[in-house]
Amino acid sequence: MNIHIIPCLNDNYSYVVENKKTKNACVIDPSESVPVINFLKKNKLNLKYILNTHHHADHIGGNLELKKEFNSQILGFEKDKNRIPGIDIFLSDKQIWNFEGSDVLVEHVPGHTSGHIFYYFKNEESVFTGDTLFSFGCGRLFEGSYLEMVDSLKKIKLLPTKTKIFCGHEYTINNLKFCMEIDKNNSELKEKYNQINNNIKNKLPSVPSSLGDEMRLNIFLKFDNLEFKKRLGFEDLNEVDFFKKIRDLKDNF
Ligand code: ZN
Ligand code: FE
């Protein structure tokens, strides 16, 4: 299978997963239909499924036009069935869905929204995290508690460290700037910033990141790292309070 990055709107990413042999494809979070339709037609792909991570407009905007064009089926979390346009298949937490013989683990990760899910493609060692985990950042809490978001991020952390992270937005440079502001003098962060800054200057996407890099450098995933919390002077804060502190600082960054 091939994974293709389709830039949409201002800073969104939709992703097309293609079975090279059958030319069948699915799309994750089509923000808008036109760039996705153009890509599929150019590559002569048949769009079988539309997968949504959550109900926000910039993740479902292309649903209905794509469904009409390709006669595709739309998948989303069962409890979001009333706010995902055109939904056909209701997914539940920890369900294994199958795409072209490849297992896809679905997990419920509330926090950004109450019905947010991720899609982990096992054979491809790739997870589509929508607006829950970003490269070196995480989503804002619109419908969930800090505790829920911490629990959701823990679920992502349990995936294999080599997992590739495909997130919903190109926010990476700003996220890295914030990480460097908090985690001062971390040379690996600076290296990562320079590397990604070069990509962006050359109009290349920063995605995918890897879970291993995220666990080492993304401060939103380091709520359980005592040594790190000590270095920042936050050793008295428990996991959720530490996460809240960082999330609140980022909201005002
Ligand atoms: Zn969102
Ligand atoms: Fe979004």
Side-chain angles (χ1 to χ4, degrees), residues 54 56 58-59 112 131:
H54 65 296
H56 282 161
D58 60 318
H59 298 257
H112 178 70
D131 290 355

